[in-house]
Each structure stands twice: as structure tokens, then as C-alpha cells.
Amino acid sequence: MKSVWQQILRYLYIGKKDPNAPKTRYVAMMHGMNRISLLLFIIAIIIMIIKLIRRH
């Protein structure tokens, strides 16, 4: 479970990069898409929480 949180922090540029990670163009594009997906997910969760709070 610890590695999942570390990977999320790396996607958000908060955590330290893994020096042994491969540095190919395709891996960089994959991480970029994952970063976008994660940010959109966080934004959607925030919007859902705001709508839930306003409803009550």
C-alpha cells in the first residue's frame, strides 16, 4: 500500500523520483496521462463533495 501512495505523490510532483525507473518516451507519456487522470479524478471528487454539502 505504501508504494501506491508514493506513486501518486510522484505523479503530482510531490514525491521523490525513482532513480531506477526507465526513462523512455512511452513511459513519460503514460505517466503524463496518469497524472491528468488523477487530477481530473480529484477535481471530480471535490465537486461531488461540494454538491453534497450544498444539498443539506
Side-chain angles (χ1 to χ4, degrees):
M1 188 60 128
K2 183 178 178 183
S3 65
V4 172
W5 291 110
Q6 288 175 345
Q7 191 67 35
I8 290 172
L9 291 176
R10 282 188 210 129
Y11 284 152
L12 298 175
Y13 296 112
I14 298 171
K16 189 168 43 170
K17 287 186 178 181
D18 184 9
N20 298 327
K23 295 179 171 112
T24 64
R25 188 173 122 202
Y26 299 109
V27 171
M29 289 191 319
M30 179 194 66
H31 285 299
M33 288 187 290
N34 286 343
R35 197 171 290 124
I36 291 168
S37 300
L38 187 62
L39 289 173
L40 287 176
F41 176 74
I42 291 170
I43 290 169
I45 293 294
I46 291 170
I47 290 171
M48 288 174 58
I49 290 171
I50 290 171
K51 284 187 176 189
L52 186 68
I53 290 171
R54 285 186 180 177
R55 185 178 285 183
H56 291 288

